[in-house]
């Protein structure tokens, strides 16, 4: 009579499959004692029977419909009652090295097997519950278990900072909180050959965002996505909790959009403006070729065109000039601070008024010195005191402005400041302040400003 052997071990720590080899050896010895010939051996190594994952060898054995089975113990063959019912359906004897024979052909034998399987399943579930509780307790007490992330390393049992990686993180934190886009930071890191987290070859916006949002950077411990505790006070931290909260508020803001790493954007509204006909993104396109009266051809100026319906098209330079004029004009108004609902408009207005007053006093002091009304020592004392006041007022302006906005972009000099901004920063400002929708044109060929709708974000 032929028999098959089934072996399984849940966790193979060495990777050498020694446990399943020992099971097979003892199963073969049992087959010899029973006078059975082993026809085939099915083995699932390093695979649990309680997780619900497919066990390839077990499934293959059921498909092959053996006439009898040998296993080291019933719980090696199965630990879930649902699997037992599938074995019962084979209507074959099951021999075990350590627990005798399972007579699945009789009601009494099936009852015994079902009882053993039920208790095996219970034991597995209890073990999982204890492991989860232990993991939560370790995380809540700030104990690091498992692999440490980018910016840290293990020194024996202790977790310490990895200086080079921590410096990269601090560089990115400082850049992002001062208005740089994730894309621009990634592009710089890639140009500098900065090593990436994990196995990725290049930095991407998603990689950097996930890294900067990690609670562990601020000494917070996480279990299943939830912050459950803090590491001990003397444990290393790359940033403090306040900085973590600022990063989280900035990077999870639904208004914020990020672009993939690659070439820096060249066009003000490409991918930002939306089509008023279908809602698609407007992208920059080269101008069309048109025939001239003399038989030649001339290329029209570049345009923004809808990337989905291709039905809406407007000249790029005219649209850019219109949108820039609206945005900069609004930023020059006295109440421009009201645009920034994410900050404190009143605090911003007060800080800017204080800054302007200090600048006026510095200018007056210089005029008094030039007129001979005060001497150099008096000018130096006045200037030193006012510069300290100015530094505090400037810091208050920075704190009241959204992180993506240059602090000096509000006021009479907004046009000059805007002219000096990079295209990347201009795009970030526009995305923060307004939505731009380009509507289908009317019957006339002339550019109609009414077809470009600029709405201020609330």
């Amino acid at each position: 009579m032929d028999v098959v052997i089934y072996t399984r071990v849940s966790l193979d720590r060495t990777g050498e499959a020694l446990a399943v080899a020992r099971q097979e050896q003892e199963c073969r010895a049992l087959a010899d004692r029973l006078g059975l010939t082993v026809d085939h051996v099915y083995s699932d190594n390093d695979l649990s029977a309680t997780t619900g994952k497919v066990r390839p060898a077990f499934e293959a054995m059921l498909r092959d419909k053996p006439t009898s089975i040998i296993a080291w113990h019933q719980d090696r063959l199965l630990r879930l009652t649902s699997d037992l019912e599938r074995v019962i359906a084979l209507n074959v004897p099951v021999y075990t090295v350590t627990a005798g024979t399972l007579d699945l052909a009789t009601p009494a034998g099936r009852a015994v097997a079902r009882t053993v399987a039920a208790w095996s399943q219970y034991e597995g579930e209890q073990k999982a519950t204890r492991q989860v509780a232990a993991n939560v307790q370790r995380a809540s007490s700030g104990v690091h278990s498992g692999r440490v992330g980018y910016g840290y390393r293990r020194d024996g049992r202790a977790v310490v900072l990895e200086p080079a990686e921590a410096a990269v993180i601090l560089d990115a934190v400082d850049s992002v909180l001062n208005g740089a886009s994730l894309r621009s930071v990634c592009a710089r890191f890639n140009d500098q050959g900065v090593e990436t987290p994990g196995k990725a070859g290049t930095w991407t916006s998603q990689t950097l965002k996930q890294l900067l949002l990690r609670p562990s950077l601020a000494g917070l411990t996480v279990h299943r996505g939830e912050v459950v505790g803090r590491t001990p006070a003397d444990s290393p931290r790359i940033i403090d909790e306040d900085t973590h909260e600022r990063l989280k508020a900035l990077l999870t803001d639904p208004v914020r959009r990020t672009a993939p790493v690659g070439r820096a954007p060249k066009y003000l509204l490409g991918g930002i403006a939306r089509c008023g006909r279908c809602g698609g993104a407007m992208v920059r396109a080269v101008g069309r070729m048109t025939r001239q009266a003399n038989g030649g051809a001339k290329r029209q100026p570049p345009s923004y065109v809808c990337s989905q319906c291709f039905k809406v098209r407007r000249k790029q330079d005219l649209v850019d000039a219109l949108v820039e004029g609206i945005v900069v004009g609004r930023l020059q108004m006295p109440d421009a601070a009201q645009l920034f609902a994410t900050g404190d408009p009143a605090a911003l207005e007060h800080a800017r008024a204080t800054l302007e007053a200090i600048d006026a006093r510095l200018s007056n002091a210089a005029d008094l010195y030039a007129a001979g009304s005060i001497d150099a020592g008096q000018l130096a004392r006045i200037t030193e005191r006012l510069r300290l006041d100015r530094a505090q007022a400037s810091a208050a302006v920075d704190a009241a402005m959204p992180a993506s906005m240059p602090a000096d972009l509000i006021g009479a000099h907004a046009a000059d400041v805007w002219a000096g901004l990079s295209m990347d920063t201009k795009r970030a400002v526009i995305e923060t302040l307004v939505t731009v929708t380009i509507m289908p044109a009317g019957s006339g060929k002339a550019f109609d400003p009414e077809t470009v709708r600029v709405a201020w974000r609330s």
Side-chain angles (χ1 to χ4, degrees):
M1 181 179 178
D2 294 337
V3 68
V4 301
I5 292 175
Y6 178 81
T7 62
R8 180 188 63 80
V9 67
S10 299
L11 179 61
D12 184 1
R13 296 187 182 277
T14 66
E16 298 175 347
L18 297 178
V20 292
R22 287 193 294 269
Q23 288 181 34
E24 180 183 344
Q25 182 180 9
E26 295 190 33
C27 287
R28 285 187 178 275
L30 175 60
D32 289 341
R33 292 196 300 272
L34 297 174
L36 302 174
T37 302
V38 176
D39 180 61
H40 191 79
V41 177
Y42 299 89
S43 180
D44 284 313
N45 186 44
D46 200 18
L47 194 60
S48 173
T50 59
T51 60
K53 292 183 179 179
V54 174
R55 292 183 282 158
F58 180 76
E59 296 297 328
M61 182 184 67
L62 296 181
R63 288 194 301 270
D64 292 343
K65 296 183 176 1
T67 57
S68 58
I69 302 171
I70 292 181
W72 189 79
H73 189 277
Q74 178 177 329
D75 65 3
R76 296 299 89 195
L77 178 62
L78 47 90
R79 295 196 75 172
L80 297 176
T81 55
S82 57
D83 288 341
L84 172 61
E85 298 304 323
R86 300 174 69 193
V87 174
I88 288 175
L90 295 176
N91 196 28
V92 299
V94 176
Y95 306 98
T96 68
V97 174
T98 60
T101 302
L102 297 177
D103 185 3
L104 302 181
T106 65
R110 290 192 293 269
V112 171
R114 285 171 176 141
T115 300
V116 173
W119 279 105
S120 294
Q121 184 167 333
Y122 167 79
E123 180 185 348
E125 292 171 354
Q126 281 292 93
K127 180 180 179 182
T129 301
R130 291 193 298 269
Q131 288 175 337
V132 168
N135 291 338
V136 172
Q137 184 179 21
R138 282 195 295 270
S140 300
S141 62
V143 175
H144 281 283
S145 59
R147 187 178 63 87
V148 295
Y150 188 88
Y152 297 93
R153 63 180 175 84
R154 286 197 178 276
D155 184 5
R157 293 187 176 182
V159 176
V160 298
L161 292 182
E162 181 64 49
E165 294 176 355
V168 170
I169 293 172
L170 287 172
D171 184 345
V173 168
D174 183 66
S175 297
V176 170
L177 290 180
N178 281 283
S181 66
L182 294 173
R183 184 207 57 77
S184 64
V185 176
C186 289
R188 176 164 59 85
F189 283 177
N190 288 330
D191 289 342
Q192 295 172 349
V194 176
E195 185 177 354
T196 61
K199 299 180 180 179
T202 58
W203 287 88
T204 66
S205 296
Q206 186 63 24
T207 297
L208 182 58
K209 181 178 180 180
Q210 291 175 347
L211 174 62
L212 296 182
L213 288 176
R214 271 176 35 206
S216 61
L217 299 182
L220 302 174
T221 54
V222 177
H223 181 71
R224 294 188 175 181
E226 297 292 332
V227 174
V228 295
R230 292 172 174 80
T231 56
D234 58 350
S235 298
R237 289 165 169 76
I238 297 177
I239 59 177
D240 57 35
E241 288 189 37
D242 287 343
T243 302
H244 171 66
E245 291 300 325
R246 290 176 61 198
L247 284 169
K248 188 165 64 172
L250 176 65
L251 297 179
T252 59
D253 184 350
V255 172
R256 180 184 179 91
R257 298 181 180 89
T258 55
V261 176
R263 189 168 51 188
K266 295 182 179 179
Y267 313 113
L268 186 68
L269 299 172
I272 295 176
R274 312 304 293 187
C275 172
R277 181 178 182 273
C278 71
M282 302 293 291
V283 296
R284 193 259 193 186
V286 296
R288 297 170 174 169
M289 296 295 293
T290 57
R291 292 187 177 277
Q292 302 297 298
N294 59 8
K298 180 181 178 180
R299 185 176 295 281
Q300 296 298 313
S303 301
Y304 289 120
V305 62
C306 178
S307 60
Q308 292 187 18
C309 70
F310 304 102
K311 300 292 186 181
V312 178
R313 179 185 290 262
R314 290 291 178 281
K315 290 184 178 179
Q316 175 195 345
D317 56 347
L318 298 179
V319 175
D320 285 353
L322 176 65
V323 174
E324 285 185 293
I326 292 173
V327 171
V328 174
R330 182 69 179 86
L331 291 170
Q332 290 175 321
M333 295 182 180
D335 64 342
Q338 297 296 329
L339 297 173
F340 306 113
T342 56
D344 184 345
L348 179 57
E349 287 184 358
H350 176 74
R352 288 193 59 79
T354 302
L355 199 59
E356 290 175 2
I358 292 172
D359 286 342
R361 292 171 64 185
L362 284 169
S363 178
N364 290 337
D367 290 342
L368 290 173
Y369 174 72
S373 300
I374 60 174
D375 58 28
Q378 291 173 311
L379 176 63
R381 288 193 296 274
I382 293 172
T383 301
E384 181 180 2
R385 186 178 70 252
L386 289 178
R387 289 194 185 281
L388 290 175
D389 294 341
R390 194 184 193 284
Q392 294 177 353
S394 180
V397 171
D398 290 340
M401 287 285 284
S404 61
M405 296 291 296
D408 53 355
L409 192 54
I410 297 176
H413 302 292
D416 294 334
V417 174
W418 180 268
L421 297 179
S422 67
M423 180 60 71
D424 201 36
T425 303
K426 287 181 178 180
R427 285 170 57 88
V429 171
I430 287 176
E431 285 190 288
T432 299
L433 295 181
V434 299
T435 61
V436 180
T437 305
I438 300 179
M439 306 301 296
S443 57
K445 292 185 178 180
F447 176 76
D448 182 2
E450 293 298 322
T451 61
V452 180
R453 299 180 180 177
V454 178
W456 297 94
R457 296 184 186 275
S458 57

